[in-house]
């Protein structure tokens, strides 16, 4: 009996490769994967890295190599799963945390991405890649001021970083800092005639209400053949203000065909189709715009117009109350809100709105008597802007 036991132990030992041989197999698979990746054979590299993980599922270098290859393939969910395991295996490794943040960013999980990148920056405050990506996360989370500050820091450290310049300029425009955007273009992009730079330059002209010049510049960007996100939309806005409605509508539809989350395309096209009497299409488009920026009073007002036309007075009421809080001098919103209160039989609120409307009309008459020509310098709520 003892002899049989000894024989069994020897057989099992012979059938199990020594640990050093397993490690050698993993190293060889990782080396092969790296060679294939450098040669451009990404699928072959993935297969080699997968072999390494099968042999040693807990090795951080195997997990991270496979996860990054998945990320390059666009398999973001697989990359996140592997990077999470690698993060657990080596919780103090800033490189793994950075790439996990990148994977979260690419999957649209901006809050999770921001947390990983904050962790990296606490340990590596001069990590420009992490700083840049964290700035983008903050912009996506609509934390515009800190996001802009991050990108300004990146650009100060690396003036040749064109992507940071493009994004920062767009952020300036979004926040109404048009002078800063123009100054940035003059300093960093003046001689750049690439399609991305032309898109930024055209966007600055658009923000300055130089619509004809914007169309010309943006058409030059289009001539490159590059399918740049927001390009059709920006051309559409410029055409809209030029009075070329049909051409503008074509541009908005072209943008949404490839970029359904474009704010301006949803907002402007929603406004246009509502003018044509297609309230159902307008409602869908304006709801999409509203989901992208719930704080924009222009879209709140337009969406309230659509809801009012459909008899959805409670929905219109909630939106209009936000509008008049943000723009208390915008009389049309007060008029529509008073009508909503009347329909909903909110008598006290209706009477208060009547008083506000009377006061606003009196102020308007006083300005007219004083010869004031330009009555409103703020956001034009009847036409959405972003």
């Amino acid at each position: 009996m003892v002899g049989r036991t000894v024989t069994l132990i020897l057989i099992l030992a012979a059938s199990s490769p020594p640990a050093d041989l397993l490690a050698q197999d993993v190293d060889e698979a990782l080396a092969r994967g790296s060679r294939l990746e450098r040669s451009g054979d990404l699928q072959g590299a993935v297969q080699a890295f997968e072999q390494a993980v099968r042999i040693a599922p807990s090795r951080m270098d195997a997990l991270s190599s496979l996860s990054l290859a998945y990320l390059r393939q666009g398999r973001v969910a697989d990359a996140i799963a592997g990077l999470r395991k690698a993060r657990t295996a080596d919780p103090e490794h800033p490189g793994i945390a950075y790439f996990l943040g990148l994977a979260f960013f690419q999957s649209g999980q901006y809050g999770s991405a921001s947390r990983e990148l904050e962790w990296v920056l606490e340990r590596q405050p001069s990590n420009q890649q992490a700083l840049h990506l964290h700035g983008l996360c903050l912009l996506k989370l609509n934390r515009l001021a800190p996001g802009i500050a991050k990108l300004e820091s990146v650009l100060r450290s690396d003036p040749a970083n064109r992507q940071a310049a493009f994004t920062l300029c767009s952020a300036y425009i979004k926040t109404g800092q048009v002078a800063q955007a123009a100054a940035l273009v003059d300093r960093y992009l003046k001689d750049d005639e690439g399609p991305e730079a032309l898109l930024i330059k055209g966007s600055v002209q658009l923000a300055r209400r130089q619509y004809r010049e914007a169309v010309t510049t943006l058409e030059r960007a289009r001539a490159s053949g590059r399918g740049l996100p927001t390009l059709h939309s920006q051309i559409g806005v410029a055409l809209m203000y030029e009075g070329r409605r049909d051409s503008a509508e074509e541009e908005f539809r072209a943008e949404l065909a490839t970029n359904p989350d474009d704010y301006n395309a949803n907002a402007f096209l929603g406004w246009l189709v509502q003018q044509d009497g297609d309230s159902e299409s307008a409602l869908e488009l304006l709801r999409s715009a509203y989901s992208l920026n719930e704080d924009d009073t222009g879209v709140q007002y337009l969406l309230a117009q659509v809801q009012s036309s459909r008899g959805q007075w409670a929905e219109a009421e909630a939106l209009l109350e936000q509008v008049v809080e943000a723009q208390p001098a915008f009389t049309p919103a007060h008029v529509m809100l008073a009508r909503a209160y009347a329909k909903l039989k909110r008598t006290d609120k209706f009477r208060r709105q009547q008083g506000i409307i009377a006061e606003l009309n009196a102020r308007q008459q006083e300005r007219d008597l004083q010869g004031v020509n330009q009555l409103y310098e703020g956001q034009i709520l009847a036409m959405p802007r972003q």
Side-chain angles (χ1 to χ4, degrees):
M1 184 67 177
V2 173
R4 290 182 180 177
T5 302
V6 171
T7 301
L8 181 59
I9 291 172
L10 291 173
I11 291 171
L12 290 172
S15 64
S16 300
D20 57 343
L21 290 179
L22 289 176
Q24 183 177 346
D25 289 343
V26 174
D27 292 340
E28 288 176 355
L30 291 174
R32 184 170 68 258
S34 297
R35 287 195 301 272
L36 291 168
E37 195 168 36
R38 287 194 299 271
S39 70
D41 184 359
L42 188 54
Q43 183 55 38
V46 165
Q47 292 172 352
F49 295 143
E50 286 175 337
Q51 180 185 0
V53 171
R54 281 195 298 271
I55 298 170
S58 298
R59 267 190 54 167
M60 192 271 291
D61 55 348
L63 284 168
S64 58
S65 296
L66 177 59
S67 299
L68 295 183
Y70 281 153
L71 198 58
R72 295 185 185 100
Q73 275 192 326
R75 297 168 58 179
V76 181
D78 292 331
I80 289 174
L83 287 165
R84 276 177 162 160
K85 291 178 182 178
R87 188 93 163 84
T88 301
D90 192 349
E92 294 301 316
H93 196 297
I96 297 301
Y98 169 79
F99 283 111
L100 180 56
L102 176 61
F104 279 136
F105 182 86
Q106 292 188 0
S107 70
Q109 300 179 61
Y110 303 119
S112 296
S114 179
R115 286 189 290 274
E116 292 296 329
L117 295 164
E118 284 174 359
W119 184 91
V120 173
L121 290 168
E122 286 173 1
R123 288 150 182 80
Q124 297 180 336
S126 61
N127 185 326
Q128 293 299 301
Q129 285 182 306
L131 192 64
H132 189 172
L133 188 57
H134 190 224
L136 297 180
C137 286
L138 294 173
L139 294 180
K140 291 289 187 180
L141 293 166
N142 211 32
R143 296 174 58 191
L144 301 180
I148 285 172
K150 296 280 185 184
L151 292 174
E152 288 172 338
S153 177
V154 170
L155 203 55
R156 282 194 299 270
S157 299
D158 182 12
N161 189 329
R162 294 168 71 249
Q163 290 304 317
F166 296 154
T167 309
L168 181 56
C169 192
S170 296
Y172 280 148
I173 293 171
K174 186 174 183 179
T175 54
Q177 300 179 70
V178 181
Q180 290 90 326
L184 188 150
V185 166
D186 288 342
R187 182 173 181 182
Y188 295 101
L189 304 173
K190 187 174 183 178
D191 298 323
D192 191 335
E193 290 295 301
E196 294 92 345
L198 289 172
L199 172 57
I200 293 298
K201 292 175 182 179
S203 297
V204 171
Q205 291 169 329
L206 183 56
R208 286 176 156 177
R209 304 185 182 187
Q210 298 169 339
Y211 303 124
R212 187 165 302 174
E213 295 88 340
V215 170
T216 300
T217 303
L218 294 167
E219 289 288 4
R220 286 164 58 203
R222 195 216 299 266
S224 70
R226 293 278 300 280
L228 297 175
T230 76
L231 178 56
H232 282 292
S233 178
Q234 294 294 80
I235 293 174
V237 174
L239 291 171
M240 186 77 234
Y241 282 107
E242 279 277 281
R244 297 157 64 181
R245 173 196 166 112
D246 291 343
S247 296
E249 183 172 338
E250 290 177 6
E251 295 295 337
F252 295 138
R253 293 191 184 279
E255 184 69 45
L256 293 175
T258 58
N259 185 16
D261 290 334
D262 184 89
Y263 177 87
N264 273 332
N266 279 292
F268 271 94
L269 187 58
W271 184 82
L272 289 175
V273 298
Q274 172 65 9
Q275 301 307 302
D276 293 336
D278 187 356
S279 294
E280 293 303 315
S281 295
L283 181 63
E284 181 180 354
L285 289 160
L286 291 169
R287 276 178 171 168
S288 295
Y290 181 72
S291 70
L292 294 166
N293 186 358
E294 294 185 0
D295 297 325
D296 185 87
T297 49
V299 166
Q300 289 168 358
Y301 179 70
L302 293 174
L303 193 51
Q305 285 183 320
V306 175
Q307 296 289 26
S308 297
S309 71
R310 299 171 71 247
Q312 302 297 319
W313 296 106
E315 290 82 352
E317 173 193 33
L319 292 162
L320 290 165
E321 285 177 342
Q322 295 179 70
V323 174
V324 298
E325 181 179 357
Q327 300 280 352
F330 186 56
T331 306
H334 287 284
V335 172
M336 194 184 302
L337 182 56
R339 188 179 180 200
Y341 286 152
K343 292 289 185 179
L344 294 168
K345 303 188 185 306
R346 308 195 197 286
T347 306
D348 291 342
K349 289 186 174 182
F350 170 71
R351 288 173 178 165
R352 281 198 294 272
Q353 283 302 309
Q354 282 186 311
I356 293 170
I357 293 165
E359 183 179 347
L360 289 172
N361 286 335
R363 291 179 185 174
Q364 179 67 59
Q365 291 175 358
E366 180 66 23
R367 284 193 294 267
D368 290 344
L369 289 172
Q370 292 175 0
V372 178
N373 294 320
Q374 185 61 39
L375 302 176
Y376 181 66
E377 290 290 346
Q379 187 175 39
I380 303 172
L381 297 181
M383 291 284 287
R385 300 178 63 83
Q386 179 75 346

